[in-house]
Amino acid sequence: MCRWLAYSGSPVLIEELLYKPKHSLIDQSLHSRLGATTTNGDGFGIGWYGLGGTPGLFHSVEPAWNDRNLRELAGHVSSPLVFAHIRAATGTPVQQTNCHPFRHGNWLWMHNGGIRDFQVVKRDLVLAVDPSFYPEIEGSTDSETFFYLALTLGLKEDPPKAVQDAVGFIEATGRRHGVTHPIQMTVATTDGESVWAFRYSSEGSSRSLFFSTEVNTLRMLYPDDARVQMLSDEARLVVSEPLGSLVGAWNELPESSWGVIQPGRDELHSFEPAKAAVPA
Amino acid sequence: MCRWLAYSGSPVLIEELLYKPKHSLIDQSLHSRLGATTTNGDGFGIGWYGLGGTPGLFHSVEPAWNDRNLRELAGHVSSPLVFAHIRAATGTPVQQTNCHPFRHGNWLWMHNGGIRDFQVVKRDLVLAVDPSFYPEIEGSTDSETFFYLALTLGLKEDPPKAVQDAVGFIEATGRRHGVTHPIQMTVATTDGESVWAFRYSSEGSSRSLFFSTEVNTLRMLYPDDARVQMLSDEARLVVSEPLGSLVGAWNELPESSWGVIQPGRDELHSFEPAKAAVPA
Amino acid sequence: MCRWLAYSGSPVLIEELLYKPKHSLIDQSLHSRLGATTTNGDGFGIGWYGLGGTPGLFHSVEPAWNDRNLRELAGHVSSPLVFAHIRAATGTPVQQTNCHPFRHGNWLWMHNGGIRDFQVVKRDLVLAVDPSFYPEIEGSTDSETFFYLALTLGLKEDPPKAVQDAVGFIEATGRRHGVTHPIQMTVATTDGESVWAFRYSSEGSSRSLFFSTEVNTLRMLYPDDARVQMLSDEARLVVSEPLGSLVGAWNELPESSWGVIQPGRDELHSFEPAKAAVPA
Amino acid sequence: MCRWLAYSGSPVLIEELLYKPKHSLIDQSLHSRLGATTTNGDGFGIGWYGLGGTPGLFHSVEPAWNDRNLRELAGHVSSPLVFAHIRAATGTPVQQTNCHPFRHGNWLWMHNGGIRDFQVVKRDLVLAVDPSFYPEIEGSTDSETFFYLALTLGLKEDPPKAVQDAVGFIEATGRRHGVTHPIQMTVATTDGESVWAFRYSSEGSSRSLFFSTEVNTLRMLYPDDARVQMLSDEARLVVSEPLGSLVGAWNELPESSWGVIQPGRDELHSFEPAKAAVPA
């Protein structure tokens, strides 16, 4: 499927996130350990907040491991909030408009997993997208349709509710078409301030998702580690798989849960798809 | 907009069609004379019949003038029926799934022009596509939606009627949304035996379209021209603009008309959009 | 051939340089007025100084006019020193390693024009490149070889002398192979502080090159123009063709001359290729 | 490193070679079992003989496993002699001019392995290429330089001698620069009639190489296998790794050996690099 990373904290050069860690996302593009596929070479994307009215996007159809422009960008752009995604396509074409993260105004969205039998349910799902959002759908992935369903269901007002409603609707639609386990997902979304992360699958066996331990705790655990001591208080990472093997640094998000990284106290809740969500 | 070429006749190396003529399609990609834009550099595509159960396709997002794979393919593949298209994008992304010709089973389709305010009418048009065809729509162009509308309306049974019905539906839909002149088009489509060409626009001022004079006539006009004498009896070209300046070789398709190149006698008719075509 | 732009001044969003002007470089990629070709669609590149130990580079083989990543980057990265180049290939392949600007350590280099009959003289020129630089040549253009010749001849110590020596050597080499007018060029190079620009051709009829009028003068000329008033005192542009038609804003660099934009007073001198430059 | 395949026999659709076998070359692009890397996703190329004065080439920088144009071409072009290569880059850029097979006139060449410390020895090797061939070098790989060295040393007259001379020269050059094991290689080359295959490495531990058993033998082994019975008498494959697990179908080329597949009797010899090969 895919692998992704979300960072929120003090501004860092993007290469610190993508290239420097031992089992970095770039390394995962060739050698994923926990993913459904070991190679994630069907394009990639990054989104970052900084200058400009909306987050910046860089999408490429080339494998991340050898993309020179990605390395240049990562080495010359710094940001306090970065989304990065490497893709292993599952049927839809390898093209920039199918690369994550997707953007709508100030929001970013990325997804690992899939809507099962998407070709069967796609028309019903797309029809449920608000007509005002419809023309913005540029690619052909399940992930982008999922994003616009969530927007239709109020992502900008209440992200956890909107995603739980969208998943409820996708499950109801899939089951109506005879799909047993309609969705498999880890999702990250952000408005540029908070980052919401979701882990869920209809079959109760979801793709892996980890978040980094709070920096205060890490500092106490590793009083002599210069790299850890340098991290800002608020720095947090959410990742498909740990970027290294530092003991105590990574916590798995529980099955069927969501969390939010935000100014103030972070939160963790259980994820419950809406039973009968029907977009108006 | 775009430029295209359709060839039907005895098998020829594709480079004879694309590179050898004086004002070839490749030349038109940089220096179109009659097009809405002089540069058609936003990708290209060719489709050809030969080996394999369906026609072959080659789509690229690079400008045709410098694409080495196109030159190789053209120099090493021969075919009796070739579609070629160079694109000047008008809003939708430059990606392979937006390159013409489009294919459905044994059918090919290519289009120059546009459905005006496509973002406004797209949802209504896509909804009218038969759900069994819907999952085949891979790109985001007006031209591909147009193709699947025509298929929905019976392209495989009666191409001229289906295209006239589709145009009628597009015009009705556009006008309902306040678009004055909803469509501008030259279109070619084929089932591998016959080639249908259409020239029409809501405003009665359509993009140029030319077909080559019958070979018998050309031979009488140019008894000493070796190149003309070598052409097969059935050879016919339909092109956005003439490939050279041979007097008597090119005839403009009249405003609002359609023609068919087929085994036996070719035909030319007037094009009349259906008044109230509504897909079931 | 090509078109380019060099900017030095207070930091600006790159899109202010590339997209906002009326006859911007992006517009020139489709509609160059003064170039040898109207279309410059064979890839492009930008180089900028900012974060990171060396300048950042972004190279693409796609036409600049429709490249989404370029637009994103330009809208989200700001810099006080930017090089941008759009390419019209003259024989060598369209690939990222042939895109300008070229980089060596902290230096950037870009070129419009060509070394005539490059395939004939290439081996002699490449042999003259210092063996320590040789492995850095990644592409196959005349422009990159020219850069490494200049580096071999002392670009980092005395840029004007090194370029004049390199041109002398290229002319001597070309003439030994029977080439009448061995070089045609406008060149820009920078170490991140100063920008040197060169205009020269063996035949004395060089590609156009313009530099912007000093901001103080512009402010006096246009006391009511908000855009002009906002420019920083040191801001300077050097361009293949003017980006607009503001009277008094653009000055042509004289035939056979070079100039330098630097902290303190800018300079303009005549360009005189070395008579008998032979790399050691 | 890389994986490759060479086919000689009665004309087949290229997809029969690339996609249909169980452990096909396309499968090897994601899941190589015997290669130095499991992923070979840094571009690919095919070369085939058929129409046109020289063999056709198709080179792409995308991973082979998801390239739609490759699938189209493979499904619509048939040939009696096909070279196919998937690349895992080892330092040089991913660009079409670095994709194998390389072509010179009617000859094709592809290589798996590498010239060690190529950046150190490159200048000496390139200098040894005949100046008449020099301008044809378009990319930056060791493999292409190796090809032009072999051409310089008489590839067209006596391929085994020329390759053994080139390897001798590469080893002498490498050792002069302090490289212990200068070369690692499997190579295939053809003039469109015969196919020569080479397996060698300075350290005596070469990449794997297999050739298919003669069809007569296979037919006796598998009297009931329709697929085997259909093969033409002359059909032969040389591959980096077996395409399936049919017992008796694949024979490993011995360490330090070369073979030729030709009209008449095929041959197998030991490979002995020239001791003191110095290009004139």
Side-chain angles (χ1 to χ4, degrees):
Chain A
M1 306 273 176
C2 314
R3 304 278 85 183
W4 57 257
L5 166 161
Y7 169 81
S8 172
S10 54
V12 292
L13 267 187
I14 293 174
E15 70 180 10
E16 291 288 334
L17 303 169
L18 291 195
Y19 291 91
K20 297 286 176 68
K22 192 162 185 182
H23 185 48
S24 70
L25 198 69
I26 302 305
D27 182 53
Q28 292 175 33
S29 70
L30 265 176
H31 306 293
S32 165
R33 293 168 193 163
L34 305 180
T37 55
T38 54
T39 306
N40 296 276
D42 301 323
F44 67 87
I46 57 173
W48 74 96
Y49 292 80
L51 302 173
T54 58
L57 283 184
F58 179 60
H59 287 160
S60 168
V61 297
E62 293 180 26
W65 63 76
N66 250 335
D67 194 282
R68 295 182 164 208
N69 286 324
L70 176 60
R71 188 171 277 276
E72 289 290 323
L73 197 64
H76 294 87
V77 172
S78 114
S79 168
L81 206 173
V82 179
F83 272 28
H85 185 278
I86 52 177
R87 187 168 176 239
T90 54
T92 46
V94 180
Q95 57 192 22
Q96 289 187 14
T97 53
N98 284 349
C99 291
H100 310 222
F102 300 99
R103 178 178 63 195
H104 170 79
N106 211 39
W107 286 75
L108 293 179
W109 172 278
M110 59 188 171
H111 170 218
N112 163 31
I115 296 176
R116 286 210 183 74
D117 293 323
F118 182 56
Q119 294 309 318
V120 173
V121 297
K122 182 176 182 184
R123 192 170 183 273
D124 287 357
L125 299 182
V126 168
L127 285 192
V129 170
D130 190 281
S132 71
F133 291 131
Y134 178 83
E136 285 187 44
I137 302 179
E138 285 203 318
S140 52
T141 61
D142 49 357
S143 307
E144 189 189 20
T145 295
F146 187 7
F147 180 29
Y148 282 96
L149 274 176
L151 282 163
T152 298
L153 290 159
L155 184 71
K156 286 187 276 190
E157 289 73 43
D158 185 343
K161 182 174 184 308
V163 175
Q164 287 172 113
D165 283 359
V167 168
F169 178 70
I170 290 165
E171 290 192 318
T173 305
R175 282 171 188 145
R176 209 171 59 235
H177 284 276
V179 184
T180 314
H181 298 307
I183 194 164
Q184 167 66 257
M185 64 182 257
T186 66
V187 159
T189 190
T190 180
D191 61 356
E193 292 228 342
S194 303
V195 174
W196 291 265
F198 303 85
R199 184 184 183 211
Y200 177 76
S201 60
S202 305
E203 64 266 44
S205 172
S206 306
R207 301 270 173 264
S208 60
L209 193 61
F210 297 82
F211 59 100
S212 62
T213 299
E214 268 195 295
V215 172
N216 283 337
T217 316
L218 274 180
R219 285 210 192 99
M220 285 184 287
L221 283 170
Y222 297 93
D224 304 328
D225 187 318
R227 203 152 169 165
V228 164
Q229 298 301 320
M230 267 173 43
L231 290 170
S232 73
D233 283 356
E234 295 280 345
R236 274 289 171 99
L237 275 161
V238 190
V239 296
S240 296
E241 30 191 292
L243 306 184
S245 49
L246 205 61
V247 176
W250 300 102
N251 315 281
E252 192 166 20
L253 208 74
E255 180 64 54
S256 301
S257 64
W258 66 268
V260 58
I261 297 167
Q262 57 192 359
R265 196 150 181 75
D266 299 343
E267 297 175 24
L268 185 61
H269 300 269
S270 75
F271 184 91
E272 291 168 24
K275 281 288 175 283
V278 181
Chain B
M1 305 272 173
C2 312
R3 306 278 82 184
W4 57 256
L5 164 162
Y7 169 82
S8 172
S10 53
V12 290
L13 267 186
I14 293 172
E15 69 179 10
E16 291 288 335
L17 303 169
L18 291 194
Y19 290 91
K20 298 287 178 68
K22 192 162 184 181
H23 185 49
S24 72
L25 198 67
I26 302 306
D27 182 54
Q28 292 174 35
S29 70
L30 266 175
H31 306 294
S32 167
R33 291 169 195 162
L34 305 180
T37 54
T38 54
T39 306
N40 296 275
D42 301 322
F44 66 87
I46 58 173
W48 74 95
Y49 291 80
L51 301 172
T54 57
L57 283 184
F58 179 60
H59 286 162
S60 169
V61 298
E62 292 180 27
W65 62 77
N66 249 337
D67 193 281
R68 293 183 166 208
N69 286 323
L70 176 59
R71 187 171 278 275
E72 289 291 321
L73 197 65
H76 294 87
V77 171
S78 112
S79 168
L81 205 172
V82 179
F83 272 28
H85 185 278
I86 51 176
R87 190 169 174 238
T90 53
T92 48
V94 179
Q95 56 191 22
Q96 287 186 17
T97 53
N98 283 350
C99 291
H100 309 224
F102 301 99
R103 177 178 66 195
H104 170 78
N106 211 40
W107 287 75
L108 292 178
W109 172 279
M110 57 187 173
H111 170 219
N112 164 30
I115 295 176
R116 287 211 182 74
D117 292 321
F118 182 56
Q119 294 309 321
V120 173
V121 297
K122 183 176 180 183
R123 192 169 183 272
D124 287 356
L125 298 183
V126 168
L127 285 193
V129 170
D130 190 282
S132 69
F133 291 131
Y134 177 83
E136 287 187 44
I137 302 180
E138 285 203 316
S140 52
T141 60
D142 49 356
S143 306
E144 189 188 21
T145 296
F146 186 8
F147 180 29
Y148 281 97
L149 274 177
L151 282 163
T152 298
L153 290 160
L155 184 71
K156 288 188 275 192
E157 289 72 44
D158 185 343
K161 182 175 183 309
V163 175
Q164 289 173 110
D165 283 358
V167 169
F169 178 70
I170 290 166
E171 290 193 318
T173 304
R175 282 171 188 146
R176 208 172 61 238
H177 285 274
V179 185
T180 314
H181 298 307
I183 194 164
Q184 167 66 258
M185 64 182 256
T186 66
V187 160
T189 189
T190 179
D191 60 356
E193 292 228 342
S194 302
V195 174
W196 291 265
F198 302 85
R199 183 184 184 210
Y200 177 75
S201 59
S202 305
E203 64 266 45
S205 172
S206 306
R207 301 268 174 265
S208 60
L209 193 61
F210 296 82
F211 59 97
S212 63
T213 300
E214 269 195 294
V215 173
N216 283 338
T217 316
L218 274 180
R219 285 207 193 102
M220 285 186 288
L221 283 170
Y222 297 94
D224 303 327
D225 186 321
R227 203 152 169 167
V228 163
Q229 297 302 319
M230 269 172 42
L231 291 170
S232 74
D233 283 357
E234 295 280 345
R236 274 288 172 99
L237 275 162
V238 189
V239 295
S240 296
E241 34 192 288
L243 306 183
S245 49
L246 204 61
V247 176
W250 300 101
N251 315 281
E252 192 164 21
L253 209 73
E255 181 63 54
S256 301
S257 62
W258 66 268
V260 57
I261 297 168
Q262 56 191 359
R265 196 149 183 74
D266 299 343
E267 295 175 26
L268 186 60
H269 299 270
S270 75
F271 184 90
E272 290 169 22
K275 280 289 174 283
V278 182
Chain C
M1 304 273 174
C2 312
R3 305 278 83 183
W4 57 256
L5 165 160
Y7 169 81
S8 172
S10 55
V12 291
L13 268 187
I14 294 173
E15 69 180 10
E16 291 288 334
L17 304 169
L18 292 194
Y19 291 91
K20 297 286 178 67
K22 192 162 183 182
H23 185 49
S24 71
L25 199 69
I26 302 306
D27 182 54
Q28 292 174 34
S29 70
L30 265 175
H31 305 294
S32 165
R33 292 171 194 160
L34 305 180
T37 55
T38 55
T39 306
N40 295 276
D42 300 324
F44 67 86
I46 57 174
W48 73 98
Y49 291 80
L51 301 172
T54 57
L57 283 183
F58 179 60
H59 286 160
S60 168
V61 297
E62 293 180 26
W65 62 78
N66 250 334
D67 193 282
R68 293 182 167 210
N69 286 323
L70 176 59
R71 188 172 278 275
E72 289 291 323
L73 198 64
H76 294 87
V77 172
S78 111
S79 169
L81 206 173
V82 179
F83 271 29
H85 185 277
I86 51 176
R87 188 169 176 239
T90 53
T92 47
V94 179
Q95 56 191 23
Q96 288 185 15
T97 53
N98 284 349
C99 292
H100 310 222
F102 301 99
R103 178 178 65 195
H104 170 79
N106 212 39
W107 287 75
L108 292 179
W109 172 279
M110 57 187 172
H111 170 218
N112 164 32
I115 296 176
R116 287 213 181 72
D117 292 322
F118 182 56
Q119 293 310 318
V120 173
V121 297
K122 182 177 181 184
R123 191 170 183 275
D124 287 356
L125 298 183
V126 168
L127 285 191
V129 170
D130 189 280
S132 71
F133 291 131
Y134 177 84
E136 286 187 45
I137 302 180
E138 284 204 318
S140 52
T141 60
D142 49 356
S143 306
E144 189 188 20
T145 295
F146 186 7
F147 179 30
Y148 282 96
L149 274 176
L151 282 163
T152 298
L153 290 159
L155 184 70
K156 288 187 274 191
E157 289 73 44
D158 185 343
K161 181 175 185 308
V163 175
Q164 287 172 114
D165 283 359
V167 169
F169 178 70
I170 290 166
E171 290 192 317
T173 305
R175 283 173 188 143
R176 209 173 59 238
H177 284 276
V179 184
T180 314
H181 299 306
I183 194 164
Q184 166 67 258
M185 65 182 256
T186 67
V187 159
T189 190
T190 179
D191 60 356
E193 292 228 344
S194 302
V195 175
W196 291 265
F198 303 85
R199 183 183 184 212
Y200 177 76
S201 60
S202 306
E203 63 266 45
S205 171
S206 306
R207 300 270 173 265
S208 60
L209 193 60
F210 296 82
F211 60 98
S212 62
T213 300
E214 267 196 295
V215 173
N216 283 338
T217 316
L218 273 180
R219 285 207 193 103
M220 284 185 287
L221 283 171
Y222 297 93
D224 303 328
D225 187 319
R227 203 152 170 165
V228 164
Q229 296 302 320
M230 268 172 43
L231 291 171
S232 73
D233 282 358
E234 294 280 345
R236 273 290 171 100
L237 276 160
V238 189
V239 294
S240 295
E241 33 191 290
L243 306 184
S245 49
L246 206 60
V247 176
W250 300 101
N251 314 282
E252 192 165 19
L253 209 73
E255 181 64 55
S256 301
S257 64
W258 66 267
V260 57
I261 297 168
Q262 57 191 359
R265 195 148 182 76
D266 299 342
E267 295 175 25
L268 185 61
H269 300 269
S270 74
F271 184 91
E272 290 168 24
K275 280 290 175 283
V278 182
Chain D
M1 308 270 173
C2 312
R3 305 278 82 184
W4 57 256
L5 167 161
Y7 169 82
S8 171
S10 55
V12 291
L13 266 185
I14 292 172
E15 70 179 10
E16 291 289 334
L17 304 168
L18 290 195
Y19 291 90
K20 298 287 178 70
K22 192 164 182 177
H23 185 48
S24 69
L25 198 69
I26 302 305
D27 182 53
Q28 292 175 35
S29 70
L30 265 175
H31 307 294
S32 167
R33 292 169 194 161
L34 305 180
T37 54
T38 54
T39 306
N40 296 275
D42 301 324
F44 66 86
I46 56 173
W48 74 94
Y49 292 80
L51 302 173
T54 58
L57 283 184
F58 179 60
H59 287 161
S60 168
V61 297
E62 293 180 26
W65 62 77
N66 250 336
D67 193 283
R68 294 182 166 208
N69 286 324
L70 176 59
R71 189 171 276 274
E72 289 290 321
L73 197 65
H76 294 88
V77 171
S78 115
S79 168
L81 206 173
V82 178
F83 271 29
H85 186 279
I86 51 178
R87 187 167 176 240
T90 54
T92 47
V94 178
Q95 55 191 24
Q96 288 187 15
T97 53
N98 283 350
C99 291
H100 310 223
F102 301 99
R103 177 178 65 195
H104 170 79
N106 211 40
W107 287 75
L108 292 179
W109 173 279
M110 58 187 173
H111 170 221
N112 164 32
I115 295 176
R116 287 211 182 73
D117 292 322
F118 182 55
Q119 293 309 321
V120 173
V121 296
K122 183 176 180 183
R123 191 169 182 274
D124 286 357
L125 299 183
V126 168
L127 285 192
V129 170
D130 190 282
S132 70
F133 290 131
Y134 178 83
E136 286 188 45
I137 302 180
E138 284 204 315
S140 52
T141 62
D142 49 356
S143 306
E144 189 188 21
T145 296
F146 187 6
F147 179 29
Y148 282 97
L149 274 176
L151 282 163
T152 298
L153 290 159
L155 184 70
K156 287 188 274 190
E157 290 72 45
D158 185 343
K161 182 177 184 306
V163 175
Q164 288 173 111
D165 284 359
V167 168
F169 178 71
I170 291 165
E171 289 192 318
T173 305
R175 281 171 188 145
R176 208 172 60 237
H177 285 274
V179 184
T180 314
H181 300 306
I183 194 165
Q184 167 65 258
M185 64 181 257
T186 66
V187 159
T189 189
T190 179
D191 60 356
E193 292 227 342
S194 303
V195 174
W196 291 265
F198 303 85
R199 183 183 184 211
Y200 177 76
S201 59
S202 305
E203 63 266 47
S205 173
S206 306
R207 301 268 173 264
S208 61
L209 193 60
F210 296 83
F211 60 98
S212 62
T213 300
E214 267 195 295
V215 173
N216 283 337
T217 315
L218 273 180
R219 285 208 192 102
M220 285 185 289
L221 283 169
Y222 297 94
D224 303 327
D225 186 320
R227 203 152 168 167
V228 164
Q229 297 302 318
M230 268 172 42
L231 291 169
S232 73
D233 282 358
E234 294 280 344
R236 273 289 173 98
L237 275 161
V238 190
V239 295
S240 295
E241 32 191 290
L243 307 184
S245 50
L246 204 62
V247 174
W250 300 101
N251 315 280
E252 191 165 21
L253 209 74
E255 181 63 54
S256 302
S257 64
W258 67 268
V260 57
I261 296 167
Q262 56 192 1
R265 196 150 181 74
D266 299 342
E267 295 175 26
L268 185 61
H269 299 269
S270 73
F271 184 91
E272 291 167 22
K275 281 288 174 288
V278 181

